[in-house]
Amino acid sequence: MNKKLLFLLLSIFIITVAISAQWSSITTVWSYSNTYFPPTGTHCVGADNAGNTYLVWHDHCRDFYFDIITRNYNGTSWSDYVWVEDPCPGSGDYSLSWMPSISVEPTGEHLIIWEDYRTGYFELHSKYYDGLDVPTQLQITNDSSYSWYPNLQFKNNAHHLFYI
């Protein structure tokens, strides 16, 4: 194929993609203050088949250390901030919760798993949001050598967890 023709076709494709891509709006989802947001697993996004978006990240806004925060976008507006992890018994809010992961089912139910130091070791904790009940926090690992970096995926009607 002629190089000029290939360049022309590629240019038309890029221009077409650029013209068809658009942002619906720009919204501040979290305030900066002390948000810790590097690209190493500190925030995750998922979506359901209805186009709802689910965002989860860790922030140290409620106590000195980190909390897990979630918000949902329904196509029109963002939900309020929701603290995911339960307060640590006997320690106020202190639990050093971070590195969340999320997997979203096509119908919007979703699972959030994160690292939590409330036992004195980094263990994985979870909450499952089915829209019906207030979710119960569950400790899902128990290994004094630490459980780190959870990564979730929803596939074949099941949530799959990968971690170190």
Side-chain angles (χ1 to χ4, degrees):
M1 180 178 259
N2 180 317
K3 286 184 181 181
K4 287 183 181 180
L5 179 59
L6 181 60
F7 177 75
L8 178 63
L9 290 174
L10 184 58
S11 298
I12 292 169
F13 173 74
I14 291 171
I15 290 169
T16 303
V17 170
I19 291 170
S20 65
Q22 60 182 334
W23 292 96
S24 59
S25 66
I26 297 175
T27 304
T28 301
V29 178
W30 58 87
S31 59
Y32 176 66
S33 70
N34 292 321
T35 302
Y36 182 62
F37 221 70
T40 56
T42 61
H43 57 284
C44 294
V45 176
D48 62 25
N49 285 353
N52 298 307
T53 303
Y54 304 86
L55 174 65
V56 62
W57 73 95
H58 73 253
D59 191 344
H60 56 104
C61 51
R62 201 171 46 160
D63 60 16
F64 182 73
Y65 290 97
F66 296 118
D67 294 300
I68 306 300
I69 312 295
T70 187
R71 290 186 83 183
N72 304 335
Y73 183 71
N74 64 11
T76 305
S77 61
W78 284 94
S79 68
D80 290 334
Y81 292 85
V82 175
W83 277 262
V84 175
E85 85 283 1
D86 296 339
C88 191
S91 302
D93 292 327
Y94 176 77
S95 63
L96 189 57
S97 302
W98 63 350
M99 301 298 174
S101 187
I102 189 170
S103 60
V104 181
E105 299 173 24
T107 54
E109 292 84 358
H110 54 286
L111 178 65
I112 296 175
I113 294 182
W114 67 94
E115 294 178 21
D116 198 302
Y117 197 74
R118 68 184 59 229
T119 64
Y121 301 99
F122 280 110
E123 300 296 351
L124 301 183
H125 288 246
S126 70
K127 279 194 176 179
Y128 179 73
Y129 292 83
D130 62 5
L132 303 175
D133 296 317
V134 175
T136 301
Q137 180 170 327
L138 299 173
Q139 181 177 335
I140 58 174
T141 62
N142 187 13
D143 184 354
S144 62
S145 63
Y146 300 132
S147 299
W148 287 341
Y149 303 108
N151 195 336
L152 284 168
Q153 178 185 38
F154 186 80
K155 187 168 183 161
N156 297 331
N157 294 317
H159 295 273
H160 302 275
L161 170 63
F162 306 89
Y163 66 94
I164 296 174

